[in-house]
Amino acid sequence: MKINRQTIPLNKEVPFGGDIDFSNAKFDPLFLRGIASCHIEGTAFQTDKILRLTINIIAKVIAISAYTLKDVPFTIRVSDELVFSDDREDDTAIYEEKNIFDVDDYVLGIILSHIPNKVVGKGEKLPPSGEGYRIMTEEEYLQEKEKKPDPRWEKLDSVKIK
């Protein structure tokens, strides 16, 4: 979605909205399969040097279950504010020198920042231990590691000292 600063009057809120298509976006295949749909609505407010966008985002996201690696669809609803400036020296705003610019990448960044690090589908549980592997807690692992001898010292066990 493109925003044109020249069409936004000074000191007046202007509503905007629409759908953004992220079907061609590339994602980390171990974190996110895709964004099925994204709809944004918001207001733009412009002063002499600042353009402030208040955005409400509704996105249908397909993440990956941390337990089963299956698709887990869920909806993200988030409100955020983006502040743009054409002044490189302004540290409080995102520098955007063009009058017409695309907000899709900024919206994508907001969506990605609101996806949990660990997604688990409804009713999913960790798989039980199986052939060639077992599931244990961190405490169990540390206890087992403490009891296990260090293999680097095994040769010294066969040395006989008189």
Side-chain angles (χ1 to χ4, degrees):
M1 172 179 289
K2 298 222 184 265
I3 298 289
N4 186 346
R5 287 184 185 167
Q6 294 173 331
T7 62
I8 301 170
L10 290 177
N11 300 320
K12 183 178 179 187
E13 282 193 353
V14 177
F16 67 92
D19 294 325
I20 299 177
D21 180 21
F22 291 115
S23 60
N24 294 328
K26 304 263 187 238
F27 301 106
D28 179 356
L30 299 175
F31 178 64
L32 183 67
R33 296 257 194 255
I35 300 175
S37 67
C38 176
H39 181 76
I40 66 169
E41 290 194 11
T43 57
F45 183 82
Q46 184 165 232
T47 62
D48 296 350
K49 298 181 181 193
I50 299 290
L51 172 64
R52 180 177 46 98
L53 302 178
T54 305
I55 301 175
N56 297 314
I57 304 169
I58 300 174
K60 294 189 180 183
V61 176
I62 302 168
I64 301 167
S65 171
Y67 289 170
T68 62
L69 300 179
K70 293 180 181 175
D71 291 356
V72 179
F74 64 95
T75 302
I76 292 178
R77 287 180 167 78
V78 65
S79 296
D80 209 334
E81 183 177 84
L82 298 170
V83 179
F84 296 96
S85 174
D86 58 1
D87 181 10
R88 285 185 193 262
E89 304 299 320
D90 189 353
D91 294 336
T92 62
I94 302 166
Y95 173 68
E96 188 64 59
E97 65 181 338
K98 299 176 184 174
N99 281 330
I100 301 173
F101 61 95
D102 203 349
V103 295
D104 294 3
D105 290 337
Y106 300 109
V107 171
L108 179 60
I110 294 169
I111 292 170
L112 292 176
S113 70
H114 284 83
I115 296 174
N117 290 333
K118 181 179 179 182
V119 177
V120 179
K122 285 186 179 178
E124 289 185 342
K125 295 181 181 174
L126 277 174
S129 299
E131 190 175 325
Y133 70 94
R134 60 193 167 124
I135 306 294
M136 61 175 57
T137 65
E138 185 175 358
E139 291 81 24
E140 292 170 337
Y141 169 75
L142 292 173
Q143 286 175 352
E144 186 176 294
K145 185 178 176 186
E146 198 174 278
K147 292 177 185 176
K148 195 177 201 180
D150 190 343
R152 297 175 293 181
W153 301 103
E154 285 180 1
K155 286 285 186 193
L156 292 177
D157 290 340
S158 63
V159 175
K160 295 185 181 183
I161 301 177
K162 292 185 179 184

